[in-house]
Amino acid sequence: MTALLDAMRHALAVDTPAVLVTVARAHGSTPREAGAAMLVTAAMIEGTIGGGRLELDAVARARAMLAEAECEAAMDVPLGPAIGQCCGGRVGLTLERLTPEVLSQAEGRAAEAEAARPAVLIFGAGHTGRALAAALSPLPLNVVLVDQRGDALASLPPGVTPLRSAVPEAAVDAAPQGSAFLVMTHDHGLDFLIAAAALRRPDAAYVGMIGSATKREQFRRHLAREGREAEIARLRLPIGGSALRDKRPEVIAAMTAAELLVCLSKGQVESLTDPLATDGGRCNSGADPEGDPAPRHAAAT
């Protein structure tokens, strides 16, 4: 959405006529959901409403509006044989000539959508933490990368918020309702503190930790000493599942991003007790290959 808004602002700034095409209604099987949009000028397109014949026809209609100086139009498109698509759904489109008011309305909708995005807190800005932040940055999530080391939080991808904290587990309590927590610091004791804090939150949408079957057992004992052993069922360890035995940070990040997005999109917290999370002997990594050591956090191990 950021690229689309930037294109709208630029078009207005240089006085380039443009039309904003928005999916107003989406019924049945459709390429995109309501709210998807694209900007059309005589020479370029920014954004997409799903591609295919639907988009081609919408672009043609928008450019006809530009040629004829129309301000508004609407399209009601059944996605069937008549347009060479077999989705079977029906899409309602609105087409509006770009004006400052249209831009303001789009900015308001974007701000509302961004505020409603789930929060994802990644604890640990090592190789895997940074790879995961990069994988999540283009997704509709509010991503925060938490670490004690300021240099580890430099040069993050766009859309990722750095949070330097001497007490990273405190960020768990401050996180918005329904947040997801992914734990992969340089210190297993610190991992346990953060994960235990996250599991205290019944509203946590996801709690995951990088590690092995041995680390999971150690953490189970840690919880048992506090009388909280049953909470281990809510922990995803290893993150990303164990179907793929690959320890490369980018691969772990891709698997975890997919797992997390499915969980947050469907709101299925119960999916975290998937047998893959507890399949002994398979793991992403026994410990994150973080590189530079940092002072150990005083924690129970």
Side-chain angles (χ1 to χ4, degrees), residues 220-280:
R220 184 195 65 76
R221 294 175 184 174
H222 174 82
L223 290 175
R225 288 193 293 270
E226 298 182 358
R228 302 169 54 196
E229 184 175 2
E231 294 178 14
I232 193 71
R234 295 178 55 219
L235 176 70
R236 186 74 179 196
L237 195 169
I239 54 172
S242 55
L244 188 61
R245 302 186 189 186
D246 196 313
K247 298 180 181 181
R248 287 173 291 180
E250 295 78 10
V251 176
I252 297 172
M255 298 287 287
T256 303
E259 174 181 278
L260 180 64
L261 193 59
V262 169
C263 174
L264 293 177
S265 297
K266 293 185 176 181
Q268 294 179 335
V269 178
E270 65 272 14
S271 69
L272 302 184
T273 57
D274 187 307
L276 289 178
T278 55
D279 190 358

Side-chain angles (χ1 to χ4, degrees), residues 20-25 34-38 49 91-96 109:
L20 181 66
V21 182
T22 305
V23 177
R25 299 178 307 281
M38 65 179 179
I49 58 168
V91 175
L93 303 177
T94 59
L95 298 88
E96 305 169 280
R109 291 192 296 269

Side-chain angles (χ1 to χ4, degrees), residues 192-212:
F192 290 179
L193 273 181
I194 295 169
L199 290 173
R200 287 191 191 97
R201 293 192 52 159
D203 67 307
Y206 178 105
V207 182
M209 183 160 59
I210 197 168
S212 62

Side-chain angles (χ1 to χ4, degrees), residues 1-192:
M1 190 62 176
T2 299
L4 179 62
L5 291 175
D6 287 345
M8 295 170 69
R9 296 183 188 111
H10 178 73
L12 286 173
V14 300
D15 201 25
T16 299
V19 170
L20 181 66
V21 182
T22 305
V23 177
R25 299 178 307 281
H27 301 293
S29 179
T30 60
R32 290 293 304 273
E33 66 290 340
M38 65 179 179
L39 187 71
V40 180
T41 71
M44 57 81 69
I45 302 168
E46 177 62 51
T48 179
I49 58 168
R53 178 66 180 274
L54 169 68
E55 188 162 298
L56 289 175
D57 288 351
V59 170
R61 182 68 183 90
R63 287 180 171 157
M65 288 177 62
L66 293 173
E68 299 167 12
E70 289 183 78
C71 292
E72 295 181 355
M75 297 175 65
D76 182 35
V77 187
L79 304 178
I83 65 166
Q85 292 191 223
C86 56
C87 297
R90 195 178 194 99
V91 175
L93 303 177
T94 59
L95 298 88
E96 305 169 280
R97 186 87 172 214
L98 181 61
T99 65
E101 181 182 8
V102 169
L103 171 61
S104 178
Q105 292 171 349
E107 289 174 331
R109 291 192 296 269
E112 290 177 1
E114 184 171 353
R117 289 179 173 183
V120 177
L121 283 76
I122 304 169
F123 293 87
H127 300 300
T128 305
R130 292 178 67 89
L132 181 57
L136 296 178
S137 65
L139 302 179
L141 304 167
N142 289 324
V143 182
V144 179
L145 184 57
V146 187
D147 203 288
Q148 298 168 315
R149 304 162 294 177
D151 58 341
L153 296 171
S155 304
L156 298 183
V160 177
T161 301
L163 176 59
R164 184 178 184 182
S165 175
V167 188
E169 64 271 26
V172 174
D173 294 334
Q177 185 174 5
S179 294
F181 304 96
L182 297 109
V183 186
M184 51 194 75
T185 78
H186 59 279
D187 185 308
H188 283 193
L190 180 56
D191 283 353
F192 290 179

